Amino acid sequence: MYDQIRTRQDNGVCSVSVLSTSPDCFKDADHAKMAKMNIAVSKKTKDLSSYFMNNIGQWCVVGIPDIQWAKSLFPELSEEEAFEKLENAIFEVSRVDEEHDPVETWEKHDATLVENAKKMNAYAFDSLHFTSELGTDITVGLVKNHIWAGGNGATPEGVVFDILSNDLLWSKHSKIWHLYVYSCHV
C-alpha cells in the first residue's frame, strides 16, 4: 500500500474520496483496535501526509447520502421522505439551487471565508470561550501565532481545488482546555 501511494504521489495524483458511511457502521467495532490501527497507519504513512495536507496534490471529499444516514437524522419520516430531506439539506449547504449560478455563488462564498480568516487573524486571540444557556462553558487555548485559514485550496502552482468548503480552520493548544459541556436534543 505504501509503495502504491508513494508512486501515485510521485506521478502527481489527484484524490477524490467518495464516502457514504452509515453513522452507526462502527457501533459494534472494537474501538481500541480501530485506534491502534489508525495510529499504526498514521505512523507508517506520516511522510506521505504532507502531499495532501500541504496542498501539493489536489483532493476533495464527497459525502453521498444514504437511507441509514437520512433515517438517523430524520427518524420520524419515511425512508423516502428522510432521504429527500437529507438530499435537500446537502444541496442547501452546498449552495446548489436552480436560481443561482453555482460557480458564482461559490466564488462569493470563498471570498467571504478568506475575508473572515483575515479578520480572525487580526484579533490574535489567546483563547476562545463558548457558553450556552444550558451551562456549557468551554475555554479553548490557541497556539501562539496561530493562523486562521479558510476558502479554496490551491496547489503551489496555483491550481484551485476543494471548492465546496464551509470551513474556517484554526489550531487549538493541546494543553489549554477548560470545559463543562451540556447537551440537549432539539
Side-chain angles (χ1 to χ4, degrees), residues 21-114:
T21 305
S22 165
D24 296 328
C25 70
F26 296 116
K27 72 177 182 179
D28 297 324
D30 183 331
H31 295 285
K33 284 183 181 178
M34 289 177 61
K36 286 180 184 178
M37 183 215 46
N38 287 333
I39 290 168
V41 169
S42 292
K43 285 180 180 177
K44 176 68 177 169
T45 60
K46 184 176 181 178
D47 65 312
L48 301 176
S49 66
S50 65
Y51 181 78
F52 290 118
M53 296 305 292
N54 294 341
N55 294 342
I56 295 166
Q58 300 164 58
W59 58 273
C60 184
V61 178
V62 180
I64 304 295
D66 68 9
I67 297 295
Q68 286 181 314
W69 182 14
K71 286 295 288 180
S72 74
L73 295 172
F74 309 109
E76 73 284 357
L77 301 178
S78 71
E79 287 184 354
E80 185 178 321
E81 291 170 324
F83 184 84
E84 184 176 339
K85 190 164 184 173
L86 174 58
E87 195 173 48
N88 288 337
I90 290 171
F91 284 134
E92 184 179 335
V93 299
S94 300
R95 292 167 176 76
V96 175
D97 62 42
E98 295 178 6
E99 289 105 42
H100 301 94
D101 175 350
V103 173
E104 183 180 309
T105 301
W106 272 103
E107 286 174 348
K108 287 180 183 175
H109 177 63
D110 182 64
T112 300
L113 288 172
V114 170

Side-chain angles (χ1 to χ4, degrees), residues 94-160:
S94 300
R95 292 167 176 76
V96 175
D97 62 42
E98 295 178 6
E99 289 105 42
H100 301 94
D101 175 350
V103 173
E104 183 180 309
T105 301
W106 272 103
E107 286 174 348
K108 287 180 183 175
H109 177 63
D110 182 64
T112 300
L113 288 172
V114 170
E115 187 59 33
N116 287 343
K118 287 179 185 176
K119 288 177 184 176
M120 296 302 284
N121 283 322
Y123 284 115
F125 294 115
D126 291 325
S127 63
L128 301 177
H129 185 205
F130 303 93
T131 60
S132 79
E133 294 174 0
L134 295 173
T136 295
D137 189 355
I138 302 173
T139 300
V140 180
L142 302 177
V143 296
K144 188 172 177 66
N145 300 320
H146 66 277
I147 296 173
W148 291 79
N152 294 334
T155 66
E157 294 79 23
V159 177
V160 175

Side-chain angles (χ1 to χ4, degrees), residues 15-18 58-62 161-164:
S15 173
V16 176
S17 298
V18 180
Q58 300 164 58
W59 58 273
C60 184
V61 178
V62 180
F161 67 96
D162 188 29
I163 62 168
L164 300 180

